[in-house]
Amino acid sequence: MTPAGSLLAAHGLRKAYGPTTALDGAEFSIHPGEVVAVMGPSGSGKSTLLHCLAGIVRPDAGEISYNGRSLTSMTDTELSALRRSEFGFVFQFGQLVPELTCVENVALPLRLNGAKRKEAERTALTWMERLEVDDVRGKRPGEVSGGQGQRVAVARALATSPRVVFADEPTGALDSLNGERVMELLTDAARSTNAAVVLVTHETRVAAYSDREIVVRDGKSRDMERLV
Ligand SMILES: Nc1ncnc2c1ncn2[C@@H]1O[C@H](COP(=O)(O)OP(=O)(O)OP(=O)(O)O)[C@@H](O)[C@H]1O
Ligand SMILES: [Mg+2]
């Protein structure tokens, strides 16, 4: 049932919110180091699919397996431990903690995983250098540009060396130049650490950074053969 060699796979996912069917038998799989773009119209179920795959939302039916384990049968405690240690997240609007400096934001998931402050900030800074935002380390998120903020958010997502990065419209609030730079840095960093990236996007220009595209329509997903 699980495609051979896949790190994360879903089969027959269904999810309804009251009368609304968000997922209607969605399928998904991703290999280590692979970047998969999830595309499709607004309201088609892309974010719901991402939330189910990341263990944030429980599907009503279907199976999700991660690294040989059934995500659907894990407890909430097991799921939150998994999210903290093995998954990274980037959302459309950075969602950085406004009271913390940028380096403290990037260090936060490491601190939550038990790292000491100094060690966490050292690791955070190497990721900020890589994302070319080490110069804003001491600033708060309200004092940096949109593009810088998203690169800080990407550094935070990668700092714990996750096996899977979930990115929901990571460039949705950026102009195309900044968006492309964020995608370039995100996919380079993910490929160099063999992290898989689940990338939800509306934009073909952003999806062009993926290895494979999946299209979601009315809660159903299918593989799209690359035309280029
Ligand atoms: N928490 C919720 N409560 C009720 N309905 C929801 C909830 N989340 C999503 N939905 C509904 O489920 C459907 C799928 O939503 P989803 O957010 O997955 O779409 P999407 O493809 O990510 O759209 P967009 O591109 O606009 O972000 C929509 O009809 C939406 O209104
Ligand atoms: Mg969405």
Side-chain angles (χ1 to χ4, degrees), residues 103-104 106-108 110-111 115-130 134 137 155 159:
V103 70
E104 286 167 348
V106 178
L108 188 60
L110 295 160
R111 299 275 285 139
K116 298 239 185 305
R117 183 194 174 96
K118 221 170 163 177
E119 177 198 331
E121 293 197 356
R122 196 176 319 120
T123 306
L125 257 185
T126 56
W127 282 101
M128 291 179 82
E129 279 163 17
R130 201 140 166 196
D134 48 310
R137 70 187 81 168

Side-chain angles (χ1 to χ4, degrees), residues 46-47 168 200:
K46 303 181 297 296
S47 294
D168 196 347
V200 168

Side-chain angles (χ1 to χ4, degrees), residues 11 17-18 33 40 53 58 60 72 79-81 138 160 177 187 197 220:
H11 177 65
Y17 292 105
L53 294 170
R58 282 191 191 274
D60 299 331
T72 28
L79 283 175
S80 76
T160 52
L177 200 67
T187 50
V197 181
K220 297 183 178 70

Side-chain angles (χ1 to χ4, degrees), residues 51-180:
H51 293 151
C52 287
L53 294 170
I56 296 169
V57 163
R58 282 191 191 274
D60 299 331
E63 254 307 312
I64 304 171
S65 66
Y66 169 72
N67 211 11
R69 299 166 71 192
S70 166
L71 218 74
T72 28
S73 46
M74 283 186 199
T75 64
D76 288 349
T77 314
E78 287 171 327
L79 283 175
S80 76
L82 183 73
R83 283 197 302 268
R84 232 182 19 236
S85 59
E86 311 222 359
F87 296 167
F89 295 90
V90 188
F91 297 102
Q92 182 170 356
F93 301 102
Q95 293 177 347
L96 300 168
V97 181
E99 294 82 8
L100 299 180
T101 63
C102 286
V103 70
E104 286 167 348
N105 265 283
V106 178
L108 188 60
L110 295 160
R111 299 275 285 139
L112 292 174
N113 282 343
K116 298 239 185 305
R117 183 194 174 96
K118 221 170 163 177
E119 177 198 331
E121 293 197 356
R122 196 176 319 120
T123 306
L125 257 185
T126 56
W127 282 101
M128 291 179 82
E129 279 163 17
R130 201 140 166 196
L131 274 297
E132 300 169 358
V133 280
D134 48 310
D135 53 329
V136 300
R137 70 187 81 168
K139 290 191 171 181
R140 292 183 206 285
E143 302 165 341
V144 304
S145 73
Q148 286 169 333
Q150 276 311 73
R151 281 183 278 139
V152 171
V154 171
R156 180 182 60 181
L158 292 165
T160 52
S161 303
R163 307 271 319 263
V164 187
V165 176
F166 294 94
D168 196 347
E169 305 275 5
T171 64
L174 304 178
D175 62 58
S176 60
L177 200 67
N178 270 304
E180 291 194 18

